[in-house]
Each structure stands twice: as structure tokens, then as C-alpha cells.
Amino acid sequence: MKVKICGLTDAAAVAASVRFSAAYVGFVFFEKSPRHLSYEAAKALSGEVPPGLCRVALVVNPTDQALDELLAAVPIDMLQLHGHETPERVSKVKALSGLPVMKAVGVAGEDDLPTLADYAQTADQILVDAKPPRDAGRPGGNGLSFDWRLIQGRRWAVPWMLAGGLNADNVREAVRLTGARQVDVSSDVEAAPGRKDPARIEAFLKAAMQD
């Protein structure tokens, strides 16, 4: 099982993610998020991540210029597109950045499932997340889940990661129902919005990686 701890904002949370064997750490670059980082802060945190652990930059509908500025300032291993980027835009971002790209796709019902297959043709990975409410200010990190039975037994052409409302108490059930081999968590390992709790990170990682 591979786990991504997303929305890290301080060194203690990074250290806990490393200590308890996260496979990915995520840094958010979206001003409406309580987890948003400046490039300077992200560069410092990125420097605390040892080789072999994937550093992911979450961005929302980034322009070419914004991507250039981010990648010039912060050492990153993967981009996560979390906006309304089209499959064509995913391909362009891959070409421009030279990095693997994960595309987040919101799911609320069966009508959303074909979109996952569409993005699996261009992205290096897909993040299967809960679709945010129409009035939500953020495209993710809202602590919401979807009916995991919708993707039970489904597979795509690229690796995929399950997100949305996961916590230490439900992650094993989510894995059982979906067959996920990668999971993502953010708000449910926080003591307050934007402030990760190392103890909750530890609990989630241990729960997710139980045999």
C-alpha cells in the first residue's frame, strides 16, 4: 500500500510522513486553500524530504507561466492537476514540465466514471476523489467521500489513487471495497485546517498499511 499525505505545511508533519513510511508528500499551491504554501516555504519543506519519497505539487488550472515559476523555485517530482484541466491540457503540462502528472477526477455518481477512463489515456496517474459540492470554494481537501462501491472492481490503464473522506477508521474498508493500492489523505489528519497532526499521520499510515 502506498500512501500520500497531502497539504503539508510544516516540518513536523513532513518528518512524521517520512518516519511512518508515506510514499508521497503533497504541497498545495492554491491560494483559496488553508494548506497553500509560498514557494519559499515549499522549497524549505521539500528539502526535508529524503530521496525516494515522491514530492507532489498540487495546482489548480495553472498557466504555463505559473508552472514555470513553480518548477524553477521548488524541487518537485510530480504535478497533481486538481482543476478543470482537459485531457489535452494534461498532455501539454506533461510536455512542458517534463514531469509525471496525476489528474484528480471528482466522482459523485456513475455518470462520472467515463471521465476517469478519458484521463487515464493521458495522465500518468489518476486520483479518484469525491466531487466537491457546487458551492465549494475548493476542488478538493473538503473531507468528503463518495460511494466506494461505484468503482468496485474497476481498473484503469494507469495507476490510480483513492481520495476523499478517508481516515484511520475507514481506510481499510475503503481499500477492501475498491481494491485501491494507493490512498490519499489531507483534512482527516489535521488538528485544524492547514495544520497537520503528526499523531494522526502516524495513525493513518499504520491503519492504511495493515495486512
Side-chain angles (χ1 to χ4, degrees), residues 61-151:
N61 303 316
T63 64
D64 292 355
Q65 180 179 347
L67 286 172
D68 287 344
E69 292 173 354
L70 167 62
L71 297 177
V74 185
I76 288 297
D77 303 305
M78 177 182 287
L79 290 168
Q80 178 179 327
L81 300 179
H82 221 296
H84 300 294
E85 302 89 359
T86 63
E88 292 75 21
R89 178 60 177 163
V90 172
S91 294
K92 185 175 181 182
V93 168
K94 288 173 60 175
L96 286 171
S97 68
L99 292 176
V101 172
M102 179 188 299
K103 177 67 180 87
V105 181
V107 172
E110 285 196 27
D111 291 348
D112 299 310
L113 299 182
T115 307
L116 292 167
D118 292 341
Y119 281 105
Q121 301 304 312
T122 56
D124 297 284
Q125 295 201 38
I126 50 176
L127 180 78
V128 186
D129 200 357
K131 181 177 283 187
R134 290 183 179 275
D135 59 350
R138 303 192 303 269
N142 296 298
L144 302 174
S145 62
F146 63 95
D147 184 350
W148 296 318
R149 292 170 297 182
L150 287 168
I151 60 170

Side-chain angles (χ1 to χ4, degrees), residues 165-176:
L166 297 176
N167 57 53
D169 294 327
N170 68 17
V171 64
R172 293 311 306 173
E173 178 67 4
V175 168
R176 184 187 70 80

